[in-house]
Amino acid sequence: MKYLLLTFTLFFATADAWNRQNHFGNPCYLCRCFVQYTDRDVAVPIRPYAMAIDGYDTTEDRCLATCQRDSRCKAAVYGMVGGRSVFTCEFYEKIDSRTAPMYIPYVNMYIKRSTCPLSISHLSNVDMVPANDSSIKRRTKQEKFIKRKNPFLG
């Protein structure tokens, strides 16, 4: 009997952790509603129209749900580059998918599909602010880092 009780307790605790909005271990629920470019970011000249106030407190699904609800949003960028200040969730009005995706590790670019069959009512919106220059500074720094020559390769 106690094993059955322990099994139920463990099951419900796991289900509760799985359904938390701020749980970073969740698999992406809304990725089917977007064209996903893994390890890609938007090129530097393009500027987002809005970004999350606190990127660290934002999950991938909350970022994508906010983009899905916003009619201006055509693409979203969600990144976990490292450190609390480098998490990002950015929203773009227009994007050129042929020139915009550039290789940046740990950052994913999502382009919105025309329809989404999934319900997003259980996901809250991200608090957004108009974009500042921190996005361009972050991408410029990453571009310089990617283009830097590896001294160990000779």
Side-chain angles (χ1 to χ4, degrees), residues 8 18-19 45 120 127 137 139:
F8 279 123
W18 185 269
N19 291 323
I120 58 174
D127 294 329
K137 288 178 185 175
R139 290 181 281 150

Side-chain angles (χ1 to χ4, degrees), residues 81-101:
V81 177
R84 289 180 177 253
S85 63
V86 191
F87 277 74
T88 186
C89 173
E90 302 165 357
F91 306 101
Y92 295 86
E93 276 184 290
K94 51 187 167 184
I95 196 154
D96 184 4
S97 62
R98 293 171 292 162
T99 59

Side-chain angles (χ1 to χ4, degrees), residues 16-129:
D16 183 46
W18 185 269
N19 291 323
R20 266 186 277 157
Q21 287 188 0
N22 292 328
H23 185 64
F24 287 111
N26 284 349
C28 183
Y29 169 72
L30 287 177
C31 285
R32 295 189 326 199
C33 297
F34 291 81
V35 176
Q36 179 180 4
Y37 291 91
T38 307
D39 290 333
R40 297 289 186 261
D41 202 351
V42 178
V44 169
I46 301 172
R47 184 182 173 128
Y49 72 90
M51 57 195 313
I53 290 175
D54 184 11
Y56 185 74
D57 193 32
T58 303
T59 63
E60 193 171 25
D61 281 323
R62 287 183 62 211
C63 183
L64 296 179
T66 304
C67 181
Q68 190 68 34
R69 287 184 183 110
D70 190 356
S71 61
R72 289 176 58 191
C73 184
K74 302 295 181 233
V77 169
Y78 181 77
M80 300 181 292
V81 177
R84 289 180 177 253
S85 63
V86 191
F87 277 74
T88 186
C89 173
E90 302 165 357
F91 306 101
Y92 295 86
E93 276 184 290
K94 51 187 167 184
I95 196 154
D96 184 4
S97 62
R98 293 171 292 162
T99 59
M102 21 181 332
Y103 174 77
I104 302 291
Y106 312 114
V107 177
N108 294 336
M109 186 172 84
Y110 302 91
I111 298 177
K112 193 191 305 187
R113 294 183 190 268
S114 59
T115 59
C116 180
L118 303 174
S119 171
I120 58 174
S121 61
H122 66 285
L123 295 167
S124 62
N125 276 352
V126 171
D127 294 329
M128 298 188 304
V129 294

Side-chain angles (χ1 to χ4, degrees), residues 127-144:
D127 294 329
M128 298 188 304
V129 294
N132 55 24
D133 289 338
S134 66
S135 171
I136 293 177
K137 288 178 185 175
R138 174 188 62 79
R139 290 181 281 150
T140 304
K141 180 180 174 184
Q142 289 295 323
E143 282 184 21
K144 286 179 186 175

